[in-house]
Amino acid sequence: MMTSDIKAIEAQILREIENASDASAIEAVRIAALGKAGSVTALLKTLGGMTPDERQAKGPVIHALRESVTAAIAARKAAVDAAELEARLAAEAVDMTLPADMAPRGSVHPVSQVMDELAEVFADMGFAVATGPEIEDDWHNFTALNIPETHPARAMHDTFYFPDKDAEGRAMLLRTHTSPVQIRTMMTQQPPIRIIAPGRVYRSDSDATHTPMFHQIEGLVIDRGIHMGHLKWTLETFLKAYFERDDIVLRLRPSYFPFTEPSAEVDVGYAHEKGRRIVGGNGDDAGHAWMELLGSGMVNRRVIANCGLDPDEWQGFAFGVGVDRLAMLKYGMDDLRAFFDGDLRWLAHYGFGALSVPTLSGGISA
Ligand code: PHE
């Protein structure tokens, strides 16, 4: 075969490659040229029957043919693949600026809802929201709060400890209450201070009313001339707004917390309605009773001093309340464990609309 014939075959095959518009057409051209019975393969086979002179003349031409065909197929394949990807991306494009045609799914968990409601209620009274770490050291969680190492309250807290200490040699733990946020706030902010601190807390405890992780909200006020009257008014105002009823009656019982002095446990009056505890009414009336709701007190002078403030100048009150418990009382769940099961039916039943934001003016739970 003449060199010019081989060039003609090459031109023909390259045209076919150029015309192949998809992967299977390219593969067909490849088989026809380079396959076992392909035209280029047949030419390569003729080399074996040639004289050495002929082979020296034709060999490079035939090998060049195979190489140019192979390269052309690879290039065409890459171009076709790129075009196919381009077309698929264009077909699957999503315009994020179009309005949604589906209502949002999912719901706001009652714990989140209640935290939002509480933030709204307390914002109206001038409280800011503060946060602190869930992995704490024992100084912030205990020592600074006037709970020394040997204090029985440390054992009472069923603390989850980490195996290693931090760089300062302090034992690390999962915070057992939100009270360490009191310390962190007093150490970084100048009074007057008015904060609430909602968040997760951890204790090694589990039954229908206790889970190893639960939620608290801490309140802290530090200012000049603060007394228990301010505490009682704040709690009454908060609980009336939260439960959305005016007949909330509180009872302050003397109690003990190392970080408050004096301390008071706060009970709220409730009645049974349709087999449920409904908060409201005076606990002294027939059919009513008292339920323990939160811990509180005047911030202990030693705690104020531990944070570098002068307790002769600054006084304050603090309180801590279980968010999950507040949610159960208002929205009627009776098993705390269900809060953390992630059961979609429970969430659909007790969850809140993702777009309804609690506001005092609109009714905080509406
Ligand atoms: N930290 C206490 C607890 O978890 C609650 C509390 C907070 C009591 C603030 C008094 C003042 O039980």
Side-chain angles (χ1 to χ4, degrees), residues 157 176-179 182 203 214 216-219 257 259-260 263-264 294-297 317-321:
H157 273 212
T176 57
H177 52 176
T178 43
S179 299
Q182 288 187 36
R203 288 181 204 177
F214 58 105
Q216 286 189 334
I217 208 157
E218 192 84 5
F257 298 102
F259 34 93
T260 47
S263 304
L294 51 85
S296 68
F317 64 80
F319 58 89
V321 53

Side-chain angles (χ1 to χ4, degrees), residues 68-139:
S68 87
V69 168
T70 305
I73 286 173
R76 183 71 191 133
K77 218 168 153 4
V80 165
D81 285 350
E84 274 174 10
L85 178 63
E86 204 56 45
R88 213 177 65 227
L89 288 177
E92 291 174 1
V94 176
D95 183 351
M96 303 299 284
T97 65
L98 288 176
D101 59 4
M102 216 197 282
R105 280 177 290 177
S107 58
V108 173
H109 194 282
V111 170
S112 302
Q113 167 76 18
V114 168
M115 285 185 179
D116 289 349
E117 292 181 14
L118 295 175
E120 172 69 12
V121 166
F122 279 102
D124 194 54
M125 292 192 267
F127 285 67
V129 174
T131 57
E134 288 167 31
I135 297 175
E136 263 296 7
D137 57 69
D138 66 352
W139 188 81

